[in-house]
Amino acid sequence: MSPPKRQISENDAALSYMSKRRFQSNSHEFTERDVLELAKQAYEKNPVFGIKPEKCALLVIDMQDEFVKPHGTPFWVPEATRQMPRIKRLLEFCRNKGIPVIFTAFARTHNYFDRPLTGKFMPNRYGELGSKDPSWFRDGNIWHEIAPLEREIVIQKPSYGAFYDTPLETILKNLEKDTVIICGTLTNFCCGTTARQAYERGFKVIIGSDVTSTDDPALHEAELKTLRKGFAMVLSTDEIIERLRV
């Protein structure tokens, strides 16, 4: 009796199709199906680069009271609060490993004159709520469960990306780091923007898939796919720690 035939999955069929197309690639012609299959596969692949713990720094992005404290502001990200145990675990591992930890926070800097001018027009300011508590985003207090140690740096930033109008790049270069590990919130705003800025400055970028959060799960996954395709290696907390154990 002959063995049952293995059912061919959609992914198997796509790979088989692309293999045949690569065999014929000397034609220099790519169909719409070709390019869409290539793109689909690239969204699922991680970049390949070496990770040296001694060259890494952990960036904890905006895990501050306004985003983490339950019910505290309209900007609260519930998933950020739920992820706190994993973030603490990653943070403590890096501290014990001697990997520098750098925090960022939105805060009052330069009397707010260093903000992008058009920020006030953006819907995420929730203008419909009227005047807001003036203490919000003033002091940049990191959530107490992961309070920075005395020697750790807290960068107060005026916009989404941690490199925009801050000394972060200089600090990383002086620390002789070439790789940044990103955790925090929001995935598709401050974390994603920081990842892109780091990539553009020549840093290797690692994004923690289960230690970054946003206010829409679908957009979290979409952002991770985009980062994976063009900017960063996307790993879980367990995978990050395993890579750093060497």
Side-chain angles (χ1 to χ4, degrees), residues 105-116 137-140 154-159 164-166:
F106 274 120
R108 178 179 176 174
T109 53
H110 302 102
N111 290 326
Y112 303 114
F113 285 109
D114 54 357
R115 313 289 138 132
F137 301 111
R138 182 186 64 199
D139 301 322
V154 179
I155 291 178
Q156 296 186 337
K157 62 188 181 67
S159 191
Y164 174 76
D165 273 2
T166 77

Side-chain angles (χ1 to χ4, degrees), residues 22 29 39 56 81 126-127 146 154 164 168 175 179-180 188 192 213:
R22 280 194 293 272
E29 294 180 359
C56 291
T81 310
Y126 302 142
I146 54 168
V154 179
Y164 174 76
L168 178 56
L175 289 171
T179 304
V180 293
N188 54 330
S213 57

